[in-house]
Amino acid sequence: MSSARPNFFQLLGYVFGRRLPADMQEWVRNDVLGPGATRRYLVRWITPIIPFLLLFLLIPGPVWIPVAMMLLLFLPWIYFAVALRPIWQRHRLQQHGLDPDLLGSKERARADVERAEYERRHGR
């Protein structure tokens, strides 16, 4: 396992969609599939919209109106970010030369164990 980590400028480019060098594939795999990957993904998708949403607070009137307008944009933004996460993960893996089938490897391994256990108990 390579201990190569991107520097600040490489990380900034990576966040904006650039490809990292081949020696950082293990880091990319851990970033896309490792512990905390969903949290990092959501932070990267939510952070850019926050300043835009805060502009709604400049609208005069009761506070509930700009808050409601922010929620009308923010809730679908979150919904689609969560729904499109597997597509983004598959793209990032392919972009860095990794096998996109890594995406469901844990679920497939768990299903294989379950199936083997079922066949052992009940026969085929």
Side-chain angles (χ1 to χ4, degrees):
M1 180 167 136
S2 174
S3 63
R5 293 182 46 88
N7 61 35
F8 175 75
F9 296 107
Q10 288 174 324
L11 183 61
L12 193 61
Y14 173 78
V15 167
F16 285 105
R18 297 199 61 186
R19 184 179 178 167
L20 291 176
D23 63 334
M24 295 184 191
Q25 281 187 343
E26 187 64 29
W27 184 89
V28 170
R29 189 194 64 73
N30 187 47
D31 180 61
V32 173
L33 301 173
T38 302
R39 178 179 34 91
R40 286 188 298 273
Y41 168 78
L42 288 175
V43 166
R44 288 175 187 157
W45 274 96
I46 292 171
T47 303
I49 197 172
I50 299 294
F52 174 71
L53 292 176
L54 291 176
L55 290 175
F56 283 106
L57 293 175
L58 298 175
I59 295 175
V63 174
W64 68 269
I65 292 175
V67 169
M69 293 168 69
M70 285 189 277
L71 285 175
L72 282 172
L73 292 174
F74 189 67
L75 293 177
W77 184 271
I78 296 293
Y79 176 80
F80 284 109
V82 170
L84 295 173
R85 186 176 63 91
I87 295 168
W88 177 85
Q89 287 176 315
R90 186 173 303 280
H91 166 72
R92 288 304 255 185
L93 291 172
Q94 286 176 339
Q95 181 185 29
H96 288 85
L98 295 165
D99 184 13
D101 289 335
L102 288 172
L103 187 55
S105 62
K106 288 181 185 177
E107 290 81 11
R108 280 194 299 278
R110 188 173 26 241
D112 290 343
V113 167
E114 261 184 54
R115 180 161 184 86
E117 180 63 25
Y118 176 84
E119 288 178 358
R120 185 188 62 76
R121 277 189 275 142
H122 301 290
R124 183 149 190 181

Short mmCIF file of all heavy atoms in Angstrom, two decimals, residues 51-103:
data_model
loop_
_atom_site.label_atom_id
_atom_site.label_comp_id
_atom_site.label_asym_id
_atom_site.label_seq_id
_atom_site.Cartn_x
_atom_site.Cartn_y
_atom_site.Cartn_z
N PRO A 51 -22.99 29.50 0.55
CA PRO A 51 -22.98 30.96 0.37
C PRO A 51 -24.13 31.46 -0.50
O PRO A 51 -24.71 32.51 -0.22
CB PRO A 51 -21.63 31.24 -0.32
CG PRO A 51 -20.81 30.05 -0.01
CD PRO A 51 -21.74 28.90 0.14
N PHE A 52 -24.46 30.70 -1.53
CA PHE A 52 -25.58 31.09 -2.39
C PHE A 52 -26.89 31.10 -1.60
O PHE A 52 -27.69 32.02 -1.73
CB PHE A 52 -25.67 30.12 -3.57
CG PHE A 52 -26.86 30.34 -4.44
CD1 PHE A 52 -26.95 31.46 -5.25
CD2 PHE A 52 -27.93 29.44 -4.43
CE1 PHE A 52 -28.06 31.67 -6.05
CE2 PHE A 52 -29.03 29.65 -5.22
CZ PHE A 52 -29.10 30.77 -6.04
N LEU A 53 -27.10 30.10 -0.78
CA LEU A 53 -28.33 30.05 0.00
C LEU A 53 -28.40 31.16 1.04
O LEU A 53 -29.48 31.68 1.33
CB LEU A 53 -28.46 28.69 0.69
CG LEU A 53 -28.70 27.49 -0.22
CD1 LEU A 53 -28.72 26.21 0.59
CD2 LEU A 53 -29.99 27.65 -1.00
N LEU A 54 -27.26 31.54 1.57
CA LEU A 54 -27.25 32.62 2.57
C LEU A 54 -27.66 33.96 1.98
O LEU A 54 -28.12 34.85 2.70
CB LEU A 54 -25.88 32.72 3.23
CG LEU A 54 -25.51 31.54 4.15
CD1 LEU A 54 -24.11 31.70 4.67
CD2 LEU A 54 -26.51 31.40 5.27
N LEU A 55 -27.54 34.11 0.67
CA LEU A 55 -28.00 35.34 0.03
C LEU A 55 -29.50 35.54 0.18
O LEU A 55 -29.99 36.67 0.15
CB LEU A 55 -27.62 35.34 -1.46
CG LEU A 55 -26.14 35.48 -1.77
CD1 LEU A 55 -25.90 35.33 -3.26
CD2 LEU A 55 -25.60 36.80 -1.25
N PHE A 56 -30.24 34.45 0.35
CA PHE A 56 -31.68 34.57 0.54
C PHE A 56 -32.04 35.29 1.83
O PHE A 56 -33.14 35.82 1.96
CB PHE A 56 -32.35 33.19 0.53
CG PHE A 56 -32.51 32.61 -0.84
CD1 PHE A 56 -31.69 31.58 -1.27
CD2 PHE A 56 -33.47 33.11 -1.72
CE1 PHE A 56 -31.84 31.05 -2.53
CE2 PHE A 56 -33.62 32.59 -2.98
CZ PHE A 56 -32.80 31.55 -3.40
N LEU A 57 -31.11 35.32 2.77
CA LEU A 57 -31.38 36.04 4.02
C LEU A 57 -31.43 37.55 3.82
O LEU A 57 -31.91 38.28 4.69
CB LEU A 57 -30.32 35.68 5.07
CG LEU A 57 -30.36 34.23 5.56
CD1 LEU A 57 -29.20 33.97 6.49
CD2 LEU A 57 -31.69 33.92 6.23
N LEU A 58 -30.98 38.03 2.67
CA LEU A 58 -31.03 39.46 2.37
C LEU A 58 -32.41 39.90 1.89
O LEU A 58 -32.66 41.10 1.76
CB LEU A 58 -29.97 39.81 1.32
CG LEU A 58 -28.52 39.54 1.73
CD1 LEU A 58 -27.60 39.81 0.56
CD2 LEU A 58 -28.14 40.37 2.94
N ILE A 59 -33.27 38.95 1.61
CA ILE A 59 -34.62 39.28 1.15
C ILE A 59 -35.40 39.86 2.33
O ILE A 59 -35.48 39.24 3.40
CB ILE A 59 -35.32 38.04 0.57
CG1 ILE A 59 -34.59 37.59 -0.69
CG2 ILE A 59 -36.79 38.32 0.28
CD1 ILE A 59 -35.10 36.31 -1.29
N PRO A 60 -36.00 41.04 2.15
CA PRO A 60 -36.74 41.64 3.27
C PRO A 60 -38.04 40.89 3.55
O PRO A 60 -38.60 40.25 2.68
CB PRO A 60 -37.02 43.07 2.78
CG PRO A 60 -36.91 43.02 1.30
CD PRO A 60 -35.98 41.89 0.96
N GLY A 61 -38.46 40.98 4.77
CA GLY A 61 -39.70 40.34 5.18
C GLY A 61 -39.46 39.42 6.35
O GLY A 61 -38.38 39.39 6.95
N PRO A 62 -40.48 38.66 6.70
CA PRO A 62 -40.32 37.71 7.81
C PRO A 62 -39.23 36.68 7.51
O PRO A 62 -39.01 36.30 6.36
CB PRO A 62 -41.68 37.02 7.90
CG PRO A 62 -42.62 37.85 7.09
CD PRO A 62 -41.81 38.63 6.12
N VAL A 63 -38.56 36.24 8.54
CA VAL A 63 -37.44 35.31 8.38
C VAL A 63 -37.87 33.99 7.77
O VAL A 63 -37.11 33.36 7.04
CB VAL A 63 -36.75 35.08 9.75
CG1 VAL A 63 -35.69 34.02 9.66
CG2 VAL A 63 -36.15 36.37 10.27
N TRP A 64 -39.09 33.58 8.00
CA TRP A 64 -39.52 32.27 7.51
C TRP A 64 -39.56 32.21 5.99
O TRP A 64 -39.42 31.13 5.41
CB TRP A 64 -40.86 31.85 8.12
CG TRP A 64 -42.03 32.67 7.67
CD1 TRP A 64 -42.53 33.79 8.25
CD2 TRP A 64 -42.85 32.42 6.53
NE1 TRP A 64 -43.61 34.26 7.54
CE2 TRP A 64 -43.83 33.44 6.49
CE3 TRP A 64 -42.87 31.44 5.55
CZ2 TRP A 64 -44.80 33.50 5.50
CZ3 TRP A 64 -43.83 31.50 4.57
CH2 TRP A 64 -44.78 32.52 4.54
N ILE A 65 -39.73 33.35 5.33
CA ILE A 65 -39.80 33.35 3.86
C ILE A 65 -38.43 32.99 3.25
O ILE A 65 -38.35 32.07 2.43
CB ILE A 65 -40.34 34.70 3.32
CG1 ILE A 65 -41.81 34.83 3.71
CG2 ILE A 65 -40.16 34.79 1.81
CD1 ILE A 65 -42.42 36.16 3.35
N PRO A 66 -37.33 33.67 3.61
CA PRO A 66 -36.04 33.25 3.04
C PRO A 66 -35.63 31.85 3.47
O PRO A 66 -35.04 31.10 2.69
CB PRO A 66 -35.04 34.28 3.55
CG PRO A 66 -35.78 35.29 4.31
CD PRO A 66 -37.21 34.90 4.38
N VAL A 67 -35.98 31.47 4.70
CA VAL A 67 -35.65 30.11 5.16
C VAL A 67 -36.41 29.08 4.32
O VAL A 67 -35.84 28.06 3.91
CB VAL A 67 -35.95 29.96 6.67
CG1 VAL A 67 -35.86 28.51 7.09
CG2 VAL A 67 -35.00 30.82 7.48
N ALA A 68 -37.67 29.35 4.04
CA ALA A 68 -38.45 28.43 3.20
C ALA A 68 -37.88 28.36 1.79
O ALA A 68 -37.81 27.28 1.20
CB ALA A 68 -39.91 28.88 3.16
N MET A 69 -37.43 29.50 1.27
CA MET A 69 -36.83 29.51 -0.06
C MET A 69 -35.52 28.71 -0.07
O MET A 69 -35.24 27.97 -1.03
CB MET A 69 -36.59 30.94 -0.52
CG MET A 69 -37.88 31.71 -0.76
SD MET A 69 -37.64 33.47 -0.97
CE MET A 69 -36.82 33.53 -2.53
N MET A 70 -34.74 28.84 1.00
CA MET A 70 -33.50 28.08 1.09
C MET A 70 -33.79 26.58 1.14
O MET A 70 -33.13 25.79 0.47
CB MET A 70 -32.71 28.48 2.34
CG MET A 70 -32.03 29.81 2.21
SD MET A 70 -30.91 30.15 3.57
CE MET A 70 -32.01 30.77 4.80
N LEU A 71 -34.79 26.20 1.92
CA LEU A 71 -35.13 24.79 2.02
C LEU A 71 -35.65 24.22 0.70
O LEU A 71 -35.39 23.06 0.38
CB LEU A 71 -36.17 24.56 3.12
CG LEU A 71 -35.64 24.64 4.54
CD1 LEU A 71 -36.78 24.52 5.54
CD2 LEU A 71 -34.59 23.57 4.78
N LEU A 72 -36.36 25.05 -0.07
CA LEU A 72 -36.85 24.60 -1.37
C LEU A 72 -35.72 24.25 -2.32
O LEU A 72 -35.89 23.42 -3.22
CB LEU A 72 -37.75 25.66 -2.01
CG LEU A 72 -39.16 25.73 -1.46
CD1 LEU A 72 -39.89 26.95 -2.04
CD2 LEU A 72 -39.93 24.46 -1.79
N LEU A 73 -34.58 24.86 -2.14
CA LEU A 73 -33.42 24.52 -2.96
C LEU A 73 -32.54 23.47 -2.29
O LEU A 73 -32.01 22.58 -2.96
CB LEU A 73 -32.59 25.78 -3.24
CG LEU A 73 -33.24 26.81 -4.15
CD1 LEU A 73 -32.38 28.04 -4.23
CD2 LEU A 73 -33.46 26.22 -5.53
N PHE A 74 -32.37 23.59 -0.98
CA PHE A 74 -31.43 22.73 -0.26
C PHE A 74 -31.89 21.28 -0.19
O PHE A 74 -31.07 20.36 -0.38
CB PHE A 74 -31.21 23.29 1.15
CG PHE A 74 -30.12 22.62 1.90
CD1 PHE A 74 -28.80 22.74 1.49
CD2 PHE A 74 -30.40 21.85 3.02
CE1 PHE A 74 -27.78 22.11 2.18
CE2 PHE A 74 -29.39 21.22 3.71
CZ PHE A 74 -28.07 21.36 3.30
N LEU A 75 -33.15 21.03 0.07
CA LEU A 75 -33.62 19.65 0.21
C LEU A 75 -33.49 18.83 -1.08
O LEU A 75 -32.98 17.71 -1.04
CB LEU A 75 -35.05 19.63 0.76
CG LEU A 75 -35.18 20.13 2.21
CD1 LEU A 75 -36.63 20.15 2.63
CD2 LEU A 75 -34.33 19.32 3.14
N PRO A 76 -33.90 19.36 -2.23
CA PRO A 76 -33.65 18.59 -3.46
C PRO A 76 -32.16 18.43 -3.76
O PRO A 76 -31.74 17.41 -4.30
CB PRO A 76 -34.34 19.40 -4.56
CG PRO A 76 -35.29 20.28 -3.87
CD PRO A 76 -34.75 20.52 -2.49
N TRP A 77 -31.37 19.44 -3.41
CA TRP A 77 -29.92 19.36 -3.61
C TRP A 77 -29.35 18.16 -2.86
O TRP A 77 -28.58 17.37 -3.41
CB TRP A 77 -29.28 20.66 -3.12
CG TRP A 77 -27.80 20.77 -3.35
CD1 TRP A 77 -26.82 20.35 -2.51
CD2 TRP A 77 -27.16 21.33 -4.48
NE1 TRP A 77 -25.59 20.62 -3.05
CE2 TRP A 77 -25.77 21.23 -4.26
CE3 TRP A 77 -27.61 21.91 -5.65
CZ2 TRP A 77 -24.84 21.68 -5.17
CZ3 TRP A 77 -26.68 22.37 -6.57
CH2 TRP A 77 -25.31 22.25 -6.32
N ILE A 78 -29.76 17.99 -1.60
CA ILE A 78 -29.31 16.86 -0.78
C ILE A 78 -29.84 15.55 -1.37
O ILE A 78 -29.10 14.57 -1.47
CB ILE A 78 -29.80 17.02 0.68
CG1 ILE A 78 -29.18 18.23 1.31
CG2 ILE A 78 -29.51 15.78 1.49
CD1 ILE A 78 -27.70 18.13 1.51
N TYR A 79 -31.10 15.54 -1.73
CA TYR A 79 -31.72 14.33 -2.27
C TYR A 79 -30.95 13.84 -3.50
O TYR A 79 -30.61 12.66 -3.62
CB TYR A 79 -33.19 14.61 -2.62
CG TYR A 79 -33.88 13.47 -3.28
CD1 TYR A 79 -34.37 12.41 -2.53
CD2 TYR A 79 -34.05 13.43 -4.66
CE1 TYR A 79 -35.01 11.35 -3.14
CE2 TYR A 79 -34.68 12.37 -5.28
CZ TYR A 79 -35.16 11.33 -4.51
OH TYR A 79 -35.78 10.27 -5.12
N PHE A 80 -30.70 14.73 -4.44
CA PHE A 80 -30.01 14.33 -5.66
C PHE A 80 -28.55 14.00 -5.40
O PHE A 80 -27.97 13.13 -6.06
CB PHE A 80 -30.15 15.39 -6.75
CG PHE A 80 -31.51 15.38 -7.38
CD1 PHE A 80 -32.41 16.39 -7.14
CD2 PHE A 80 -31.90 14.33 -8.19
CE1 PHE A 80 -33.67 16.37 -7.70
CE2 PHE A 80 -33.16 14.29 -8.75
CZ PHE A 80 -34.05 15.32 -8.51
N ALA A 81 -27.92 14.68 -4.46
CA ALA A 81 -26.53 14.35 -4.12
C ALA A 81 -26.44 12.92 -3.59
O ALA A 81 -25.56 12.15 -3.99
CB ALA A 81 -25.99 15.33 -3.07
N VAL A 82 -27.36 12.55 -2.72
CA VAL A 82 -27.36 11.18 -2.18
C VAL A 82 -27.70 10.17 -3.27
O VAL A 82 -27.08 9.11 -3.38
CB VAL A 82 -28.33 11.07 -0.99
CG1 VAL A 82 -28.53 9.63 -0.58
CG2 VAL A 82 -27.83 11.90 0.18
N ALA A 83 -28.67 10.51 -4.12
CA ALA A 83 -29.09 9.58 -5.17
C ALA A 83 -27.99 9.36 -6.22
O ALA A 83 -27.87 8.26 -6.77
CB ALA A 83 -30.35 10.10 -5.85
N LEU A 84 -27.19 10.37 -6.48
CA LEU A 84 -26.17 10.27 -7.52
C LEU A 84 -24.80 9.85 -7.00
O LEU A 84 -23.85 9.75 -7.77
CB LEU A 84 -26.06 11.60 -8.27
CG LEU A 84 -27.31 12.01 -9.05
CD1 LEU A 84 -27.16 13.41 -9.61
CD2 LEU A 84 -27.59 11.01 -10.16
N ARG A 85 -24.69 9.58 -5.72
CA ARG A 85 -23.40 9.21 -5.13
C ARG A 85 -22.78 7.98 -5.78
O ARG A 85 -21.59 8.00 -6.12
CB ARG A 85 -23.53 9.00 -3.62
CG ARG A 85 -22.21 8.74 -2.94
CD ARG A 85 -22.39 8.63 -1.44
NE ARG A 85 -23.21 7.52 -1.06
CZ ARG A 85 -22.74 6.30 -0.79
NH1 ARG A 85 -21.47 6.07 -0.85
NH2 ARG A 85 -23.56 5.33 -0.45
N PRO A 86 -23.52 6.88 -6.02
CA PRO A 86 -22.87 5.72 -6.66
C PRO A 86 -22.35 6.02 -8.06
O PRO A 86 -21.31 5.51 -8.46
CB PRO A 86 -23.97 4.66 -6.71
CG PRO A 86 -24.98 5.08 -5.70
CD PRO A 86 -24.88 6.56 -5.60
N ILE A 87 -23.05 6.88 -8.79
CA ILE A 87 -22.60 7.24 -10.13
C ILE A 87 -21.30 8.04 -10.04
O ILE A 87 -20.36 7.80 -10.80
CB ILE A 87 -23.70 8.04 -10.86
CG1 ILE A 87 -24.91 7.13 -11.07
CG2 ILE A 87 -23.19 8.61 -12.17
CD1 ILE A 87 -26.15 7.85 -11.50
N TRP A 88 -21.24 8.97 -9.09
CA TRP A 88 -20.03 9.76 -8.89
C TRP A 88 -18.87 8.85 -8.47
O TRP A 88 -17.75 9.00 -8.97
CB TRP A 88 -20.28 10.83 -7.84
CG TRP A 88 -19.07 11.65 -7.54
CD1 TRP A 88 -18.62 12.74 -8.20
CD2 TRP A 88 -18.15 11.42 -6.47
NE1 TRP A 88 -17.48 13.20 -7.62
CE2 TRP A 88 -17.16 12.41 -6.56
CE3 TRP A 88 -18.06 10.47 -5.46
CZ2 TRP A 88 -16.11 12.49 -5.67
CZ3 TRP A 88 -17.01 10.54 -4.58
CH2 TRP A 88 -16.05 11.55 -4.68
N GLN A 89 -19.14 7.92 -7.55
CA GLN A 89 -18.08 7.02 -7.10
C GLN A 89 -17.55 6.19 -8.26
O GLN A 89 -16.34 6.04 -8.42
CB GLN A 89 -18.61 6.09 -6.01
CG GLN A 89 -18.82 6.78 -4.69
CD GLN A 89 -19.44 5.83 -3.68
OE1 GLN A 89 -20.38 5.10 -3.99
NE2 GLN A 89 -18.93 5.85 -2.47
N ARG A 90 -18.43 5.65 -9.07
CA ARG A 90 -18.02 4.84 -10.21
C ARG A 90 -17.16 5.68 -11.17
O ARG A 90 -16.14 5.24 -11.67
CB ARG A 90 -19.24 4.27 -10.93
CG ARG A 90 -18.91 3.32 -12.03
CD ARG A 90 -20.16 2.67 -12.59
NE ARG A 90 -20.95 1.98 -11.58
CZ ARG A 90 -20.69 0.75 -11.11
NH1 ARG A 90 -19.67 0.10 -11.56
NH2 ARG A 90 -21.47 0.21 -10.21
N HIS A 91 -17.58 6.92 -11.40
CA HIS A 91 -16.83 7.81 -12.28
C HIS A 91 -15.43 8.08 -11.73
O HIS A 91 -14.44 8.04 -12.48
CB HIS A 91 -17.58 9.14 -12.46
CG HIS A 91 -16.75 10.22 -13.06
ND1 HIS A 91 -16.36 10.21 -14.38
CD2 HIS A 91 -16.20 11.34 -12.51
CE1 HIS A 91 -15.62 11.28 -14.63
NE2 HIS A 91 -15.51 11.97 -13.50
N ARG A 92 -15.34 8.38 -10.43
CA ARG A 92 -14.03 8.67 -9.84
C ARG A 92 -13.11 7.46 -9.89
O ARG A 92 -11.91 7.59 -10.13
CB ARG A 92 -14.19 9.12 -8.39
CG ARG A 92 -14.77 10.50 -8.26
CD ARG A 92 -13.98 11.53 -9.00
NE ARG A 92 -13.23 12.31 -8.06
CZ ARG A 92 -12.49 13.36 -8.37
NH1 ARG A 92 -12.41 13.75 -9.61
NH2 ARG A 92 -11.84 14.01 -7.46
N LEU A 93 -13.66 6.26 -9.67
CA LEU A 93 -12.83 5.06 -9.76
C LEU A 93 -12.32 4.87 -11.18
O LEU A 93 -11.14 4.58 -11.39
CB LEU A 93 -13.63 3.84 -9.29
CG LEU A 93 -13.94 3.79 -7.80
CD1 LEU A 93 -14.90 2.65 -7.50
CD2 LEU A 93 -12.67 3.66 -6.98
N GLN A 94 -13.19 5.01 -12.17
CA GLN A 94 -12.78 4.87 -13.57
C GLN A 94 -11.78 5.96 -13.95
O GLN A 94 -10.81 5.69 -14.67
CB GLN A 94 -13.98 4.95 -14.50
CG GLN A 94 -14.84 3.72 -14.49
CD GLN A 94 -16.07 3.87 -15.37
OE1 GLN A 94 -16.50 4.98 -15.67
NE2 GLN A 94 -16.63 2.75 -15.77
N GLN A 95 -12.00 7.16 -13.49
CA GLN A 95 -11.13 8.29 -13.82
C GLN A 95 -9.69 8.03 -13.37
O GLN A 95 -8.75 8.46 -14.02
CB GLN A 95 -11.66 9.56 -13.16
CG GLN A 95 -10.86 10.80 -13.44
CD GLN A 95 -11.38 11.99 -12.65
OE1 GLN A 95 -11.93 11.83 -11.56
NE2 GLN A 95 -11.20 13.18 -13.19
N HIS A 96 -9.52 7.33 -12.26
CA HIS A 96 -8.20 7.07 -11.71
C HIS A 96 -7.68 5.68 -12.04
O HIS A 96 -6.73 5.20 -11.42
CB HIS A 96 -8.21 7.31 -10.20
CG HIS A 96 -8.31 8.76 -9.86
ND1 HIS A 96 -9.51 9.41 -9.78
CD2 HIS A 96 -7.36 9.69 -9.63
CE1 HIS A 96 -9.30 10.68 -9.49
NE2 HIS A 96 -8.00 10.88 -9.39
N GLY A 97 -8.31 5.01 -12.99
CA GLY A 97 -7.81 3.72 -13.44
C GLY A 97 -8.09 2.57 -12.50
O GLY A 97 -7.42 1.54 -12.57
N LEU A 98 -9.06 2.71 -11.63
CA LEU A 98 -9.43 1.64 -10.70
C LEU A 98 -10.66 0.91 -11.23
O LEU A 98 -11.42 1.45 -12.03
CB LEU A 98 -9.72 2.22 -9.31
CG LEU A 98 -8.52 2.86 -8.62
CD1 LEU A 98 -8.97 3.71 -7.45
CD2 LEU A 98 -7.54 1.80 -8.17
N ASP A 99 -10.85 -0.31 -10.78
CA ASP A 99 -11.98 -1.12 -11.23
C ASP A 99 -13.28 -0.58 -10.63
O ASP A 99 -13.43 -0.53 -9.41
CB ASP A 99 -11.77 -2.57 -10.79
CG ASP A 99 -12.84 -3.50 -11.30
OD1 ASP A 99 -13.61 -3.09 -12.19
OD2 ASP A 99 -12.91 -4.64 -10.80
N PRO A 100 -14.25 -0.17 -11.46
CA PRO A 100 -15.51 0.35 -10.91
C PRO A 100 -16.32 -0.70 -10.18
O PRO A 100 -17.23 -0.37 -9.42
CB PRO A 100 -16.25 0.88 -12.13
CG PRO A 100 -15.56 0.35 -13.31
CD PRO A 100 -14.19 -0.08 -12.91
N ASP A 101 -16.00 -1.99 -10.37
CA ASP A 101 -16.72 -3.03 -9.65
C ASP A 101 -16.34 -3.07 -8.18
O ASP A 101 -16.97 -3.79 -7.40
CB ASP A 101 -16.47 -4.39 -10.30
CG ASP A 101 -17.16 -4.52 -11.64
OD1 ASP A 101 -18.17 -3.80 -11.85
OD2 ASP A 101 -16.70 -5.30 -12.49
N LEU A 102 -15.33 -2.31 -7.78
CA LEU A 102 -15.00 -2.21 -6.35
C LEU A 102 -16.15 -1.60 -5.56
O LEU A 102 -16.27 -1.81 -4.37
CB LEU A 102 -13.76 -1.33 -6.16
CG LEU A 102 -12.42 -1.89 -6.58
CD1 LEU A 102 -11.35 -0.81 -6.51
CD2 LEU A 102 -12.05 -3.06 -5.70
N LEU A 103 -17.00 -0.86 -6.28
CA LEU A 103 -18.08 -0.13 -5.62
C LEU A 103 -19.00 -1.03 -4.82
O LEU A 103 -19.37 -0.72 -3.71
CB LEU A 103 -18.89 0.64 -6.67
CG LEU A 103 -19.96 1.59 -6.17
CD1 LEU A 103 -19.39 2.60 -5.20
CD2 LEU A 103 -20.59 2.31 -7.34
#
